[in-house]
Amino acid sequence: MGRGDIVLTRDNREFIRQDCLRDAIIYEIVDLEWSMMQLMRNEQGRNLEESEFESFYQVRYSQHSAMNSDTLGLYRSDLTVASHTDRNLMAEKYAYMKNPSALPDDPAVVSLIQEIVPLMLQSQERFANAFPALAALGRAFDPEENTVPIEVYITSELVGKSDTTLQMILRDIKLNPDYIRDIFEVFVSFFGQDSLGKAEVLAAAQQMKPCRGATL
């Protein structure tokens, strides 16, 4: 997939965070993912509107915010290489969710995924125990995806990444048992919430906006 395959309109993206270099790197990552998502949807006959980018950005920014900066740089390289070698990492992510038995062919990648997923699930459980209503909102899939188990979703986030990037994600999750909590903390900030405690109260009262299209 070449970058010329999709024409993006970047006007009216005032919601993009630009406070530091990390924000710029995450924006580049999300923009590459958006191009891949557009291409995948176009091939399915389901075009994405530019107006949908804001929700996509909120979810993906939150997802990537828990990575350390060097991990972000490696994942950005994965996406850049993929975009020049006709790989669509978002298509691979969704293909795995539909067929969870289809792990990558690389034994090193599979081994790393098998190390990372249990730690992510432990982090998810820690978060869900503390903030059950918010954790439930994070599982708000689109209707055709609402039966995807959390383990499958977490794995789908890993299957397209290189072994080098996965090694760094493994390091990140080992260093930070609250990895999932940190993702949600960033996510609720997009909706004006400055604490997970306040957001949990709103979520329990069904006043927090559900996460659209994907879990965190």
Side-chain angles (χ1 to χ4, degrees), residues 135-212:
L137 280 184
R139 298 291 294 133
F141 282 102
D142 280 341
E144 71 268 21
E145 296 166 3
N146 62 9
T147 59
V148 177
I150 186 63
E151 181 174 354
V152 172
Y153 182 82
I154 287 172
T155 306
S156 77
E157 284 286 336
L158 304 172
V159 292
K161 293 178 171 65
S162 67
D163 58 345
T164 306
T165 302
L166 290 173
Q167 287 169 9
M168 300 304 281
I169 292 174
L170 179 60
R171 178 207 62 181
D172 292 349
I173 184 65
K174 283 182 174 180
L175 290 172
N176 181 15
D178 287 318
Y179 192 97
I180 300 297
R181 175 182 174 137
D182 288 354
I183 291 172
F184 273 87
E185 194 163 44
V186 171
F187 181 65
V188 301
S189 72
F190 281 106
F191 304 97
Q193 302 304 313
D194 59 4
S195 81
L196 286 171
K198 293 177 183 177
E200 174 70 10
V201 172
L202 291 174
Q206 298 184 335
Q207 293 179 24
M208 267 291 294
K209 177 181 176 182
C211 173
R212 292 177 52 198

Side-chain angles (χ1 to χ4, degrees), residues 7-74:
V7 177
L8 293 177
T9 302
R10 292 182 173 81
D11 297 335
N12 303 318
R13 289 190 175 182
E14 293 87 356
F15 52 84
I16 299 298
R17 297 188 174 184
Q18 304 180 61
D19 295 333
C20 59
L21 179 59
R22 276 177 58 86
D23 286 345
I25 295 171
I26 293 175
Y27 176 72
E28 290 179 27
I29 287 170
V30 177
D31 200 28
L32 285 162
E33 290 182 330
W34 176 249
S35 293
M36 291 179 178
M37 181 68 80
Q38 282 185 308
L39 183 61
M40 183 184 79
R41 294 303 191 199
N42 287 346
E43 290 173 349
Q44 296 170 345
R46 297 169 57 191
N47 295 342
L48 289 170
E49 300 294 332
E50 174 65 19
S51 60
E52 298 178 70
F53 180 76
E54 182 171 5
S55 292
F56 183 85
Y57 174 80
Q58 291 167 348
V59 172
R60 301 309 293 169
Y61 181 102
S62 302
Q63 176 71 45
H64 304 319
S65 66
M67 294 181 187
N68 282 305
S69 296
D70 48 2
T71 311
L72 287 171
L74 287 169

